[in-house]
Amino acid sequence: MAESPALSPSSASDVAPPDAQAPLAVPPARGAWSLAPPENASATGDRIDALLATSHGFDVALAAVMLGWMLLAVVRFRGARKVAPDGGTRRSRAWVLGLAVGVFGVVDGTLFLGSQGYLDDVLWNFRVPTEDPRTVRIQINAHQWSWEARYAGSDGAFGTKDDVVTWNDLRVPADVPVWVQLVSTDVVHGFALPAFRVKLDAIPGRVNQTWFQAAREGAWEVACYQHCGTSHYRMRGMLTALSPEAYAAWLREASLKAVHAYDPDDMAAHWGWVWRTP
């Protein structure tokens, strides 16, 4: 989906941005020295993890075969006399070519089919958030150096006085599809939710979108994976997955506060666009 965001009325929220230089409110479940991927908090993240495990399995198997063959060649032919190199026989070349094509077909074919299945079933399957009446829609405006998020308030419509706007603070209900539409006001940013296996470019003048679903309640980091300027390190936030009841209560209260804080002259807060489905 590629379209320029149109400005629409909104309201500012009284939620202050968290200090990006402070330690994370929730420490990561796995340390920096862990070889495992980040904690999986996504309802569909196991598909990506399975692909990575398959890829690593192929890597280990191919490395073992190549190193084993090199060791065998060193031991078996270390006393062989020197001969002039040649291109081998037609039969030997056919064996090498067939083996290379076979390995490529098995390894890359398996990963390609697995990746395509994930794209069709999850990443590009917007039927899931479109058809689920519980889906939460969030507009995110990326800029140097924070994530500004807009929620439709109690009226369920964007661009009204009760819109809830937060900075570096995403709140979603657990076990519910979350549909994100993303833009940038300055440079290219990279919206990343490592625990949800989500990465999406924020590009000026273009609305990109993705969706995810939290498998359980908790809090995880929101990161920027594109170097977006001198304070790139400050561009991080927190995503908190609440119970559906707690999320509904938070949104209801935040929506009421947004109505009281609405300022029609605060043009900086009047960003947004018409939500369109693919």
Side-chain angles (χ1 to χ4, degrees):
M1 181 175 178
E3 52 190 87
S4 298
L7 294 177
S8 62
S10 63
S11 66
S13 168
D14 61 353
V15 181
D19 184 359
Q21 299 187 62
L24 290 176
V26 179
R30 295 169 182 170
W33 295 102
S34 173
L35 295 178
E39 174 191 7
N40 176 29
S42 171
T44 57
D46 58 309
R47 297 280 297 270
I48 290 292
D49 291 353
L51 275 173
L52 289 174
T54 301
S55 176
H56 294 160
F58 281 132
D59 292 341
V60 171
L62 292 174
V65 169
M66 289 186 289
L67 292 175
W69 179 257
M70 290 174 60
L71 181 62
L72 176 64
V74 168
V75 174
R76 175 67 178 79
F77 301 106
R78 62 181 177 177
R81 64 184 178 85
K82 293 182 179 180
V83 297
D86 59 39
T89 65
R90 179 176 298 179
R91 180 179 180 182
S92 66
R93 291 195 295 269
W95 269 102
V96 171
L97 180 60
L99 182 61
V101 171
V103 170
F104 177 83
V106 171
V107 175
D108 292 81
T110 300
L111 296 178
F112 173 79
L113 292 176
S115 300
Q116 191 63 46
Y118 177 78
L119 291 176
D120 294 338
D121 298 340
V122 180
L123 192 61
W124 292 344
N125 186 13
F126 284 97
R127 290 182 56 189
V128 175
T130 299
E131 297 176 357
D132 194 325
R134 305 171 302 160
T135 294
V136 171
R137 293 169 171 80
I138 306 176
Q139 295 179 347
I140 296 181
N141 186 18
H143 50 84
Q144 296 171 315
W145 287 271
S146 64
W147 304 104
E148 191 173 4
R150 178 180 298 278
Y151 298 77
S154 299
D155 62 2
F158 286 101
T160 58
K161 292 183 178 181
D162 68 346
D163 282 3
V164 176
V165 178
T166 65
W167 289 268
N168 297 328
D169 180 16
L170 297 180
R171 304 192 189 191
V172 302
D175 299 317
V176 171
V178 178
W179 194 344
V180 172
Q181 292 192 351
L182 178 69
V183 300
S184 171
T185 60
D186 36 50
V187 300
V188 175
H189 298 276
F191 178 69
L193 301 174
F196 294 85
R197 312 303 188 250
V198 168
K199 296 177 73 175
L200 184 67
D201 284 341
I203 302 174
R206 176 186 177 95
V207 179
N208 286 336
Q209 58 186 327
T210 188
W211 73 277
F212 63 91
Q213 183 169 323
R216 59 186 179 278
E217 298 174 34
W220 298 273
E221 183 179 10
V222 180
C224 179
Y225 65 86
Q226 294 280 4
H227 191 279
C228 53
T230 56
S231 296
H232 164 70
Y233 70 97
R234 295 177 59 91
M235 194 164 179
R236 72 179 187 187
M238 295 300 298
L239 183 146
T240 305
L242 309 169
S243 68
E245 296 78 15
Y247 171 80
W250 168 79
L251 185 64
R252 183 168 54 252
E253 181 179 357
S255 181
L256 290 174
K257 291 181 179 179
V259 172
H260 292 297
Y262 179 77
D263 181 0
D265 297 324
D266 185 6
M267 300 306 299
H270 296 179
W271 61 270
W273 56 90
V274 178
W275 188 281
R276 295 182 180 176
T277 59

